[in-house]
Amino acid sequence: MRTQVAIIGGGPSGLLLGQLLHGAGIDTVVLERQSKAHVLSRIRAGILETGTVALMHQAGVGQRLEKECFRHDGTVICHGEMQFGVNFFERAGKHVVVYGQTELTRDLYGARELANAKTLFNIENVAIYGADTDTPSVSYEQDGLSHTIKCDFIAGCDGFHGVSRKTIPAQLRREYEKLYPFGWLGVLSETPPVHDELIYAGSDRGFALCSMRNANLSRYYIQCSLTDKPEDWSDTAFWEELKRRIPSEYADKLMTGVSIEKSIAPLRSFVSEPMRWGRLFLCGDAAHIVPPTGAKGLNSAMGDVHYLFNGFRQLYEGGDSRGIDEYSAKALARVWKAERFSWATTKLLHRFPDDSEFDRKMQQADVAFLAENSAAQTVFAENYVGLPY
């Protein structure tokens, strides 16, 4: 098989990159380890930055998003019973929208199928060859048969555990990682959201987040121990603990129900540099991971897609290689700012097990400063809605 850009990974970043390239007349093949049904069953992020929404429209797949998304002009931040709002539109002139990653992925698959673009599922034993030469290729197995794709470039959109990052020689990679001493226990329930904006809540008992997917589908999280398992938490225990961590104004009106999905995610910050080796380009979780605090994970990946797509387009349309030559530096500059925001917001609202009384007083002072200072709220809002590309 021959293509111009081989994309490893059929998640949102790989699919959006493929759809943008298709619109520019650039041929792609997407390789996905799982089945399509499995990819669409994953419960992931739901907050989209303005830039991510613009990229979906640029790819021609923003119609359903625009119709069904929920616009959020701000968020609520709490510490104990104290609460305040940060108005994104007033502070930064932009907003975010709530639209589940599953739905975004569904839209992208639909567009790819409509375009008759090639997507291969249930792929095994992917290997990358010649990434540091002018003739790269990708080999894989499907249904017990071995295949090879010859290509001009390879986009590694295959996540933290994928083959792409590991293909870059270890001596050329520099990896930075911070593991957090807690996780998030998340519950999805068919109940109305407790509030029409997200609620980020810090408390002496730990962090909680009240989010949503639509008018009758809510997503809630509480900070938990890394040793916990989802089965350790009954629905009743989860709801009771959530109520203890949010202001009574919201706890009193919280509608509870049977969880339809329950999982625990450990938190980590991770960056691998560089994001390019020869004709191999890393994108999204293959190169960087953030804690979910602040909704930067999916959106950071879409920033990578913006830089990589424009680099490929400039090269194929006019022979200008500056875009791909500058890809790693430009993407990483934005990634590190997103890492900083997620790290700082996580530190602002979570209870760390080794915090001293001094540390807790500093945390309370940080929250109070954000509540009282308009400049601090502007900085928070500009980061939350997404820094410019």
Side-chain angles (χ1 to χ4, degrees):
M1 198 185 306
R2 181 76 172 81
T3 191
Q4 290 173 300
V5 180
I7 300 173
I8 305 175
S13 58
L15 292 172
L16 180 57
L17 177 62
Q19 194 62 21
L20 287 165
L21 291 172
H22 172 77
I26 300 168
D27 187 55
T28 65
V29 175
V30 172
L31 304 175
E32 170 53 43
R33 183 171 62 91
Q34 304 286 356
S35 67
K36 177 183 173 183
H38 183 276
V39 175
L40 291 175
S41 72
R42 296 187 295 215
I43 304 297
R44 293 288 191 272
I47 304 296
L48 305 183
E49 296 174 357
T50 305
T52 298
V53 174
L55 283 172
M56 289 289 286
H57 282 293
Q58 185 178 354
V61 286
Q63 297 87 347
R64 189 165 75 98
L65 184 160
E66 199 67 38
K67 182 180 178 182
E68 299 182 10
C69 75
F70 289 81
R71 171 174 166 161
H72 279 200
D73 286 335
T75 193
V76 175
I77 298 176
C78 312
H79 198 282
E81 288 297 318
M82 183 194 76
Q83 63 172 295
F84 61 96
V86 177
N87 191 305
F88 304 145
F89 201 74
E90 287 182 2
R91 299 293 181 191
K94 297 179 182 178
H95 59 270
V96 296
V97 303
V98 175
Y99 190 70
Q101 179 174 316
T102 300
E103 300 310 310
L104 180 146
T105 306
R106 194 184 310 278
D107 294 342
L108 287 165
Y109 271 132
R112 190 163 182 84
E113 290 164 3
L114 194 63
N116 292 318
K118 199 169 190 63
T119 307
L120 305 173
F121 295 100
N122 300 305
I123 298 303
E124 298 179 317
N125 300 321
V126 174
I128 297 170
Y129 298 97
D132 58 340
T133 73
D134 292 337
T135 55
S137 64
V138 178
S139 70
Y140 64 95
E141 294 179 10
Q142 186 183 45
D143 299 328
L145 298 176
S146 299
H147 305 269
T148 298
I149 300 175
K150 296 180 179 180
C151 52
D152 298 334
F153 300 99
I154 300 165
C157 306
D158 49 348
F160 182 78
H161 299 288
V163 69
S164 297
R165 184 181 72 258
K166 299 168 188 174
T167 298
I168 301 176
Q171 66 270 23
L172 300 181
R173 276 185 278 134
R174 184 159 188 185
E175 297 183 349
Y176 306 83
E177 185 172 41
K178 178 177 179 60
L179 300 177
Y180 296 84
F182 42 73
W184 276 18
L185 170 64
V187 160
L188 192 69
S189 64
E190 292 179 329
T191 55
V194 69
H195 189 54
D196 58 1
E197 291 181 344
L198 269 66
I199 300 172
Y200 288 88
S203 76
D204 290 340
R205 300 184 66 90
F207 172 77
L209 172 62
C210 302
S211 182
M212 71 285 289
R213 290 296 177 267
N214 58 49
N216 198 48
L217 190 62
S218 298
R219 184 72 164 160
Y220 296 104
Y221 300 92
I222 59 173
Q223 176 185 344
C224 67
S225 170
L226 286 173
T227 60
D228 286 357
K229 297 181 175 63
E231 54 267 26
D232 295 337
W233 288 84
S234 67
D235 287 353
T236 300
F238 175 85
W239 294 122
E240 289 178 351
E241 185 60 31
L242 176 63
K243 289 179 180 180
R244 293 187 187 105
R245 300 188 187 190
I246 60 177
S248 54
E249 173 188 343
Y250 303 112
D252 292 344
K253 65 180 182 181
L254 178 69
M255 293 189 64
T256 65
V258 176
S259 63
I260 58 175
E261 193 269 345
K262 189 184 294 178
S263 58
I264 291 179
L267 271 63
R268 65 150 54 97
S269 298
F270 174 84
V271 179
S272 181
E273 299 181 345
M275 289 175 61
R276 177 193 181 182
W277 181 53
R279 290 177 174 246
L280 168 63
F281 298 81
L282 303 184
C283 190
D285 285 1
H288 47 83
I289 293 173
V290 294
T293 330
K296 294 295 121 195
L298 171 64
N299 292 296
S300 293
M302 296 317 197
D304 298 344
V305 168
H306 165 83
Y307 293 120
L308 190 53
F309 161 64
N310 281 292
F312 283 148
R313 181 175 61 177
Q314 291 162 13
L315 181 69
Y316 280 108
E317 289 182 354
D320 185 352
S321 68
R322 284 178 296 178
I324 61 171
D325 292 339
E326 297 170 356
Y327 167 72
S328 182
K330 283 187 174 181
L332 283 168
R334 193 173 190 273
V335 162
W336 276 114
K337 294 181 181 73
E339 293 278 346
R340 186 211 65 81
F341 179 68
S342 291
W343 166 80
T345 310
T346 300
K347 189 176 179 183
L348 180 74
L349 296 169
H350 287 71
R351 182 75 178 264
F352 285 74
D354 58 351
D355 276 352
S356 65
E357 288 299 318
F358 179 85
D359 294 326
R360 291 176 191 141
K361 284 292 187 181
M362 287 297 98
Q363 186 181 56
Q364 292 168 18
D366 281 341
V367 174
F369 183 76
L370 180 59
E372 298 161 3
N373 189 280
S374 61
Q377 289 192 15
T378 297
V379 170
F380 184 93
E382 288 177 345
N383 280 273
Y384 198 99
V385 301
L387 297 174
Y389 295 139

